[in-house]
Amino acid sequence: MQRRVFLKYSAFGSMLAFFTGPNLHANLLENKSLLGFKAIDASTEDNIVVPDGYEAKLLISWGDKLFSKAKPYDENKLIDDEAVKNASFVFGDNNDGMSFFSLSKTRAILAINNEYINPEIMFNHQGKELSKEDVLYEQKSLGVSIIEVQKKGDTWELVEDSKFNRRIDAHTKMKVSGEAKNEVLKGQKFVYGTLNNCSNGKTPWGTYITCEENIDDFFGSSDENINFNKGQKRFGFKTKSKYGWEKFDERFDLAKNPNEANRFGWIVEIDPFDAKSTPIKRTSLGRFKHENAEIIIEKDGSVIIYMGDDEADEFIYKFVSKHKFKKGMDTSKILDEGILYVGQFNGKLGDMRGSGKWIALEFGKNGLTEQNGFKNQADVLINARLAGSIVGATPMDRCEWIASHKESGSKEVFATLTNNKSRKEPNAANPRVKNIYGQIIKWSPKNSHKDEDFSWEIFALAGNPDNQSTLNKGSNNITSKNKFNSPDGLAFDKDGRLWIQTDGDYSNKGDFEGMGNNQMLAADVKTGEIKRFLTGPIACELTGIAFDEDYTTMFVGIQHPGEKLAPSHFPHGANTTPRSSVIQIRKLDGGVIGS
Ligand code: FEO
Ligand code: CA
Ligand code: CA
Ligand code: CA
């Protein structure tokens, strides 16, 4: 491994960003910026750039061995029976959301999603001549990777053959629970696999939450004249799927197995401490294109889960548990019993703030009746999107991650609305038609997250202040120095820095000129200040954030460098296949990241 390739410092000194916000001014005068690092410039280089005084190192890449019996990544890309078997013992592809579970000061478990695959990178035929083996190899290369890591000196390393190491993929046996359980199981005891595991959540009782997003990409129909029902249409199923699995595996053929698609699109709970545990699909949290799950424990122990649906003009959801969480209790029913709500964001167009309402998605209430096509609560949950439309939810600009600095007692909740290029009708919270840049919105309840009412405000409207006019310039905290597009990953650290990751247009041209490759920024949510912290390699998306216990290491996901055959050779350099990877960032003085 060429660690030196990774070690890259910004060649530029700090430039005080230009802001107009009065709060920011006051804060700067007091010289107490939460963001203590020197902002870096945009970059189009095929590497990781971090601020002066920081270093980035590789932790693990797609195809790296989790067990000594596995074979290392094969640059010849020979896909045979052996390669298919081997895929179960190596790190999965396209890593996304992840959580850190501490075992001791120097040992931990990382649970890491492997969202999807890139056939153009994975195969010599670039996906053009798919075989049954290829599909099996793909099915075993996604899902979730659970790994043990150990800190040696300053550096975290994989523990090969750890009892915690595990791959979960499209074939793994899963339980189903919650109010749509019987409808989903349809007489089976178990279902098999998890798909398109986007981002994540971490429960206070020590389990990992993985979120199933674009599951329609894996299902098609052998009958070209199939009549999709309303729910299937709304989810986006097509006769010809993106990955073509239906041609090799009947399970993904909607003409033959229409119910199989109802077994995906859920929140899945995994016990990362037991590699033999059976993951559980939690149907009471609704079925849609789940991005992440931000979990907040209210003072009375109620478990609140905010969840976004990443599709143009879809909704934001909230779950409120019936059971109150207490340390040491039986937590097995917490995610099964409670009320799912959907968000309505009201206000006057142009105000950039307003009020809102959480509306319950309960069968028999708010128009969710037989007359409107719902048979029961299971039907409401499986078709949460249709239910949301009936109760008057607000179509959003593709909600990606949701994050709250709950440890501080703050009631504010932030969410990335990544972009919505097809928006025709603006609304107060989504004020731009053909939104190419995205925005970060925040909301807060007056008293408790159990409240049905909330107020909201746009925290940052991304844009290009250098070549755009009106709203596409972006909000005042977007400048020539920090401009970006398509905010996606979002997480708070313990001090309240809001870390932002982008998954946007990396052409660095036209509307996106000066934004460079996808990147990571940090925001001080009290002042509105935003600074660029990291830039990724060519054609990657930055996604996945986790910290070690003392916040001196930040783990970051580099997803699909070189996608669509863009010229990346990250992480191993010339003549190697670009591979999705998890990297670790450290401050050279051992301090807290971002301080
Ligand atoms: Fe998998 Fe919406 O990102
Ligand atoms: Ca995302
Ligand atoms: Ca995205
Ligand atoms: Ca991606």
Side-chain angles (χ1 to χ4, degrees), residues 198 213 291 310 398 400 418-419 486-489 502-504 541:
C198 185
E213 193 191 17
E291 182 74 19
D310 178 9
R398 296 184 49 199
E400 301 256 22
T418 195
N419 60 54
S486 306
D488 189 330
T502 71
D503 170 24
E541 165 187 346

Side-chain angles (χ1 to χ4, degrees), residues 394-449:
T394 301
M396 308 300 284
D397 285 345
R398 296 184 49 199
C399 182
E400 301 256 22
W401 293 35
I402 301 177
S404 174
H405 191 217
K406 54 218 173 196
E407 299 80 358
S408 69
S410 165
K411 288 192 181 66
E412 287 185 333
V413 183
F414 290 73
T416 46
L417 303 176
T418 195
N419 60 54
N420 185 351
K421 292 162 193 164
S422 57
R423 177 172 289 284
K424 291 190 185 82
E425 286 290 324
N427 60 50
N430 305 273
R432 294 181 288 199
V433 292
K434 289 190 191 145
N435 175 10
I436 58 170
Y437 294 120
Q439 63 264 24
I440 300 174
I441 192 171
K442 63 174 182 179
W443 64 82
S444 44
K446 203 165 186 183
N447 300 305
S448 140
H449 290 286

Side-chain angles (χ1 to χ4, degrees), residues 59-60 91 95-101 109-114 144-145 147 197-202 208-210 291-292 401 491 501 520 542-547 554-558 581-585:
L59 176 71
I60 195 164
F91 188 64
N95 46 269
D96 204 303
M98 57 183 155
S99 295
F100 182 94
F101 297 87
I109 296 169
L110 273 172
I112 307 167
N113 287 344
N114 297 115
V144 180
S145 297
I147 60 173
N197 304 79
C198 185
S199 181
N200 63 315
K202 187 180 171 185
Y208 182 65
I209 298 292
T210 182
E291 182 74 19
N292 83 334
W401 293 35
Q501 298 179 313
M520 224 171 139
L542 268 296
T543 186
I545 313 174
F547 294 91
M554 176 165 65
F555 299 94
V556 171
I558 307 294
S581 302
V582 177
I583 59 165
Q584 51 188 315
I585 314 285

Side-chain angles (χ1 to χ4, degrees), residues 315-333:
F315 310 135
I316 296 179
Y317 297 81
K318 176 181 84 166
F319 176 82
V320 179
S321 73
K322 178 181 125 185
H323 300 284
K324 314 276 189 267
F325 171 68
K326 264 196 232 90
K327 265 206 171 124
M329 74 182 284
D330 170 11
T331 55
S332 61
K333 292 277 183 292

Side-chain angles (χ1 to χ4, degrees), residues 127 254 293 340 380 428 461 522:
L254 292 163
L340 183 67
V380 168
L461 194 69

